[in-house]
Amino acid sequence: MRLVLQSTLLPILAMALLLGACKQATQKANQSTVKTTAPASSEPWWKEAVVYQIYPRSFKDSNGDGVGDLQGIISKLDYVKSLGIDMVWLNPIYASPNKDNGYDISDYQNIMKEFGTMQDFDALLKGFHDREIKVFMDLVVNHCSSEHAWFKSARSSRNSPYYKYFHWWPAEKGKPPYRWSIFDEKGDAWEYNKATNSYYLHYFADAQPDLNWENPQLRQEIYKMMRFWLDKGIDGFRLDAIAFCSKDTTWQPLPAEYNGQWGMYYASGPHLHDYMQEMNREVLSKYNVATVAEAMGDVERVMKFVAPERKELNMAYYFEAIDFGYLPNEYKMPDPKGYDFVAWKKIYAKWTEAFAQKGWGTIYLANHDQPRMLTRWGNDTPEFRDASSKLLSTFILSMRGTAFYYYGDEIGMSNIKFDKVEDYNDIELLTNYAQVKAKGGDLKRFLEGMKISSRDNGRTPMQWDDSDNGGFGAGKPWLKVNPNYTSVNVAAQEKDPNSVLNYFRKMVQLRKKERALIYGDFKLVDAENPSIFAYTRSLEGRTILVLLNFKAVEAKVNTEGLDLSKAKVLLGNYPNSKATNQLKPYEALVLSL
Ligand code: GLC
Ligand code: CA
């Protein structure tokens, strides 16, 4: 099966990394102590922020049409505030025909009809700001929607003033050179357009034409649009698929040296960083805002976006850890043997070390492109749901880097695990399913794998209470609600002081109190331990030891050289936690030494 190449940015990375870079890093990380300088009081706010990501389509439906909306979020502002988080990242809320759930924008300065109006947005922004919560928006500018006015005009005639806002291959030159597409069933990124007798480029779906960043006029339009939102007072942007924005317009055949990793080639556009620097100069530097890049590749590549002297962006996601454990050359198919836990820990150590030298990273275990963290990295059986959810929250909130936390994880939501392809909505899944089918692949096996890794698992409606649809809304939800809403829901957990939800809140408070958890040096402890992720975070004489047993059986960690005799438990996920190096299944301990 040739499935590898078809997905969002995620699997591309997995491949890149597995090809060797990983090994070196692993060796290095064995002894790694990440030395960091103590923070100056002038550190920017975004380094200390805990970010809560809201997928608006699935958070709360206020009017019973089955789709979450801005008024729905407004009705939950106090809940969001109660989490203790500092910033919210909203997935795209702009006008969109929703071929890729808002990542296909038809009007950058209007709100998606299903989500509400600009007045609703203003009220939402004010609601968050009144509660001292900052708001991040998604900036989707590698491509727009084929329904965007620019594209509708462009596709009507080569003389359209907007024709050059897109990339075209004139048909009189014959067939265009092959370009791989991520959401195209045929895997072909060129689509023929009759009225102009030319092909347009779409790295994602054909309904997502790529914008022509090589055209300075287009870039100015984007900067103007960014100012529109920044002038409204938003606090930053998450830059979607930004690594792809600059294109190699020589349109040479795909270079063999990329060895099928076309995503890496796409992320190597000749002017990518010129554009980021221009954007910074002309827009970002004029506002007190933060940015996070959906960056791809190894440390060297990702660092280019965030090294401060380059004056580009502030933070970056990296994919190496999140994409770990999939079979090579297959689309997000989990390895039935599981993943190499020791190697996974060392990936985190490597990136943490890199960002300690320069730039600033992020830490996350889930988002709208991922399954639920509980199913993928914890254990969603009734026995271990609570303990492992708490363990994963402890991990995210005790590592170095800005913490990004996905809605629903705070109550331990898990994968819905659809049996039938008809239950899915996601373009990525449906494209890949069609490809497996076209090639006569094993569809049953594919669907089994997707129960673990597909994106819709992470997009099911928020589970507020045990009423119909989990209290998401009165209408039939756009995507099924996980049937476990009857027991896994916010209302039930509000009442229980030991719930996953209340543990998350405690852990957020602990991170705020202990600066060592934000700025402290990171050091892996007992790196080769096959069950326990253990590390210290130290700052100005304060040392915090974090012990996380990622396995369903008891395990012991070697804490040689650390004195646990006077250790104090700052937080633990079992009742009456004790400072010990012998951990129960999925036990999490945060100790001060
Ligand atoms: C990014 C988004 C993903 C989207 C894709 C195309 O990877 O996170 O959800 O499908 O870009 O815009
Ligand atoms: Ca609605």
Side-chain angles (χ1 to χ4, degrees), residues 61-69 114:
D61 172 19
S62 70
N63 61 353
D65 66 354
V67 176
D69 46 53
E114 291 172 303

Side-chain angles (χ1 to χ4, degrees), residues 287-509:
Y287 299 83
N288 176 23
V289 293
T291 46
V292 56
E294 195 188 27
M296 34 183 324
D298 56 14
V299 169
E300 200 191 327
R301 268 173 191 264
V302 171
M303 199 53 84
K304 283 198 174 151
F305 287 97
V306 296
E309 73 277 7
R310 295 175 59 87
K311 296 196 165 54
E312 297 188 14
L313 304 171
N314 303 128
M315 300 173 261
Y317 299 118
Y318 57 91
F319 290 87
E320 186 174 0
I322 204 85
D323 280 343
F324 199 64
Y326 293 139
L327 289 174
N329 302 332
E330 282 195 71
Y331 163 77
K332 282 164 92 174
M333 185 62 78
D335 189 332
K337 295 200 289 294
Y339 68 101
D340 179 344
F341 179 67
V342 172
W344 190 65
K345 290 193 284 184
K346 290 175 185 176
I347 296 172
Y348 281 104
K350 174 182 73 173
W351 284 88
T352 305
E353 179 171 5
F355 287 127
Q357 311 300 327
K358 228 179 211 197
W360 191 254
T362 59
I363 191 91
Y364 68 101
L365 287 173
N367 60 39
H368 66 291
D369 290 332
Q370 299 295 331
R372 283 286 163 191
M373 71 174 185
L374 173 62
T375 303
R376 175 112 153 90
W377 303 109
N379 185 326
D380 62 10
T381 62
E383 192 182 359
F384 295 121
R385 161 185 305 279
D386 274 33
S388 68
S389 284
K390 292 171 183 172
L391 167 116
L392 298 175
S393 294
T394 313
F395 174 68
I396 295 176
L397 293 162
S398 64
M399 287 287 286
R400 202 168 182 281
T402 296
F404 279 71
Y405 201 89
Y406 193 49
Y407 88 93
D409 286 343
E410 76 274 24
I411 54 168
M413 280 172 62
S414 54
N415 280 10
I416 190 161
K417 304 183 183 169
F418 289 134
D419 283 315
K420 300 191 300 279
V421 69
E422 291 76 27
D423 283 331
Y424 283 100
N425 164 280
D426 173 24
I427 187 171
E428 181 187 66
L429 181 294
L430 297 174
T431 307
N432 287 289
Y433 182 86
Q435 289 179 346
V436 178
K437 194 170 174 189
K439 291 185 184 77
D442 185 342
L443 287 168
K444 206 167 153 240
R445 175 174 174 273
F446 173 78
L447 286 177
E448 276 311 301
M450 295 307 105
K451 287 182 183 177
I452 302 301
S453 61
S454 95
R455 307 199 291 185
D456 276 345
N457 283 303
R459 297 178 177 184
T460 60
M462 179 69 173
Q463 296 165 204
W464 294 104
D465 55 39
D466 63 3
S467 68
D468 288 354
N469 303 326
F472 168 66
K476 182 172 178 251
W478 71 279
L479 193 66
K480 283 187 180 160
V481 180
N482 193 317
N484 70 17
Y485 75 85
T486 49
S487 56
V488 178
N489 64 61
V490 173
Q493 296 194 20
E494 288 286 9
K495 288 187 218 128
D496 174 4
N498 295 318
S499 64
V500 172
L501 174 61
N502 282 317
Y503 183 92
F504 170 72
R505 288 175 172 141
K506 282 180 215 155
M507 192 60 215
V508 171
Q509 291 315 315

Side-chain angles (χ1 to χ4, degrees), residues 535-550:
Y535 44 91
T536 50
R537 303 293 317 276
S538 358
L539 184 76
E540 293 156 353
R542 175 93 166 149
T543 295
I544 293 178
L545 173 64
V546 182
L547 303 176
L548 306 168
N549 181 4
F550 271 73

Side-chain angles (χ1 to χ4, degrees), residues 384 387 390 503 572-578 584-589:
F384 295 121
K390 292 171 183 172
Y503 183 92
N573 64 349
Y574 273 82
N576 310 317
S577 306
K578 280 186 218 40
K584 301 185 187 77
Y586 296 105
E587 181 160 14
L589 280 176

Side-chain angles (χ1 to χ4, degrees), residues 97 99 104-105 144-147 200 202 204-209 427:
K99 290 282 190 301
D104 47 324
I105 296 169
C144 62
S145 161
S146 51
E147 298 296 310
Y200 67 89
H202 62 91
F204 292 90
D206 57 3
Q208 294 169 295
I427 187 171

